[in-house]
Amino acid sequence: MNKRFRLAAAVSAVALAVAACGEAPDEDGDGTATGDSTGGSADFTACMVSDQGGINDKSFNETSYNGLVLAQEEGIIPEPKFAESQTDADYGPNVDAMVQDDCGLIVTVGFLLADATSEAAEANPDENFAIVDFQYADETGAPIAIDNVKPLVFNTQEAAFLAGYASAAYSKTGIVGTWGGAKIPTVTIFMDGFYDGVQYFNEQKGGDVQVLGWDKATQEGQFVGDFANTGLARQISDNLISQGADVLHPVAGPLAESAAIAAQAAGDVTVVWADSDGFESAPDYGPVILTSVLKGMDQAVLAATQEAADDAFTNEPYVGTLENGGVGIAPFHDFDGEVSQETKDELAQIQEQIISGELVVESDAAFS
């Protein structure tokens, strides 16, 4: 019989590490960067427009940009160009700037760039775009295809479910917490999966681990409101710790650093990173990172870039899942000895059950 965990109103073996590490080029003063070609075709250039936080955010934007770094290293493209968005007002101008730079593929990063991307795509039908973490849909939720836009999306609820189970098993206080940056579907999907993973642990083990910061039934919880307010991010983290949470799962791009700093100050709190393997992308906080929920944005961007460079671009969505390795959880690194073999075996079994369909982790806005 299928076990189903309903994730209301969401649109993110133990060592499925898919994030790659790469150094971003130095920024020019105008927020864009270019460089001399070190490989690839001079006739094809790939470009990226970041969300707020920039391409050195140790998370969402950086992992996406690493896909272009990989494409350069593999000789698919010369050094990529990018434009960093500091505010919402930058999205449209940054996308337009990349169009003017004659890019063969423009990758936009994040839900908040959806309008700017669709407007540019409509105005420039001969330009190819890929958007990370967004799929266009009509009022009923049915997908809408734009001829020259390829969605790169991820069923992160599957991986976050594993992280929630692992966090519940690890917690010494019986209380864990999660919070987000902006309240958008690509953030709350992590929180839903994390929440349900904890509930599944309680169901299987007869436990009573509590989740602070998110109520899946009401879709209400703790949010900063953006991805830039480090003070509020630290305050939310400290408040959850003061209520007894000894594992925090921040879903907030660069603001995850605030949770890690709070965990270090507390001394007995760990963090579940989001998007990249935080142990590798943010090594200063490795000693407090229990694991990470991974989204293979780098691999998706690499695949889309190769497709476009080969003159084989399609608007067919890429959907990352546990089955295809597009999502997963990172190794436990420094905490490997503190996570029991029993828990590791259970996580491997749960993963196989999700892949086989025996255990279904659903979302009203999951991608198929």
Side-chain angles (χ1 to χ4, degrees):
M1 182 174 70
N2 285 358
K3 304 184 182 74
R4 294 182 177 267
F5 278 76
R6 192 79 180 164
L7 305 186
V11 169
S12 137
V14 169
L16 279 177
V18 294
C21 295
E23 292 296 322
D26 292 336
E27 296 176 48
D28 292 335
D30 63 356
T32 63
T34 61
D36 294 334
S37 173
T38 57
S41 169
D43 297 328
F44 183 88
T45 302
C47 307
M48 181 168 286
V49 178
S50 80
D51 198 350
Q52 298 173 42
I55 62 168
N56 294 305
D57 65 355
K58 302 179 175 63
S59 185
F60 181 70
N61 290 294
E62 185 170 338
T63 304
S64 298
Y65 185 75
N66 282 342
L68 295 188
V69 174
L70 289 171
Q72 180 190 1
E73 291 174 349
E74 294 187 12
I76 300 168
I77 59 172
E79 186 170 350
K81 303 175 182 179
F82 69 89
E84 293 189 327
S85 304
Q86 304 301 322
T87 70
D88 293 359
D90 294 334
Y91 297 147
N94 280 347
V95 174
D96 289 341
M98 294 296 96
V99 171
Q100 297 305 314
D101 258 343
D102 195 28
C103 302
L105 177 70
I106 299 172
V107 181
T108 59
V109 186
F111 180 92
L112 297 177
L113 275 141
D115 288 344
T117 304
S118 62
E119 290 168 5
E122 182 178 354
N124 301 277
D126 294 330
E127 186 75 60
N128 291 327
F129 297 81
I131 183 168
V132 177
D133 248 5
F134 190 81
Q135 186 171 40
Y136 296 93
D138 63 21
E139 293 179 355
T140 70
I144 295 175
I146 300 177
D147 289 345
N148 55 335
V149 181
K150 184 181 189 68
L152 308 177
V153 294
F154 305 85
N155 281 338
T156 40
Q157 81 277 4
E158 296 179 352
F161 187 96
L162 297 175
Y165 188 97
S167 298
Y170 174 82
S171 177
K172 309 300 190 297
T173 63
I175 303 173
V176 300
T178 183
W179 57 268
K183 189 179 181 183
I184 56 178
T186 47
V187 168
T188 59
I189 193 172
F190 281 86
M191 300 166 78
D192 280 334
F194 184 81
Y195 182 97
D196 271 349
V198 174
Q199 307 315 311
Y200 188 67
F201 174 87
N202 289 336
E203 175 188 306
Q204 296 297 302
K205 297 293 188 178
D208 189 27
V209 179
Q210 301 176 54
V211 180
L212 303 179
W214 184 241
D215 185 325
K216 175 179 161 265
T218 65
Q219 293 286 288
E220 296 297 330
Q222 295 287 305
F223 294 91
V224 173
D226 57 36
F227 298 94
N229 191 334
T230 57
L232 183 53
R234 175 64 189 272
Q235 180 183 337
I236 291 172
S237 300
D238 285 337
N239 287 345
L240 293 175
I241 292 170
S242 70
Q243 295 175 64
D246 63 351
V247 182
L248 298 180
H249 180 36
V251 188
L255 293 182
E257 184 175 10
S258 296
I261 292 170
Q264 287 179 330
D268 54 359
V269 176
T270 63
V271 170
V272 174
W273 207 258
D275 296 326
S276 64
D277 184 345
F279 188 88
E280 297 178 351
S281 62
D284 289 348
Y285 307 111
V288 297
I289 295 176
L290 175 64
T291 185
S292 303
V293 180
L294 304 174
K295 290 166 61 174
M297 296 175 288
D298 53 349
Q299 298 299 321
V301 169
L302 172 63
T305 303
Q306 179 73 74
E307 183 181 87
D310 289 344
D311 199 24
F313 176 88
T314 75
N315 65 352
E316 182 179 352
Y318 167 88
V319 183
T321 64
L322 283 178
E323 183 175 12
N324 65 21
V327 301
I329 63 171
F332 293 111
H333 295 296
D334 286 355
F335 290 90
D336 189 69
E338 298 184 43
V339 177
S340 71
Q341 187 60 48
E342 179 182 10
T343 295
K344 294 173 186 175
D345 291 344
E346 289 165 355
L347 288 169
Q349 182 179 25
I350 292 168
Q351 176 164 301
E352 289 305 312
Q353 290 173 332
I354 293 172
I355 290 172
S356 71
E358 179 182 352
L359 177 59
V360 179
V361 185
E362 290 186 330
S363 168
D364 288 344
F367 305 102
S368 59

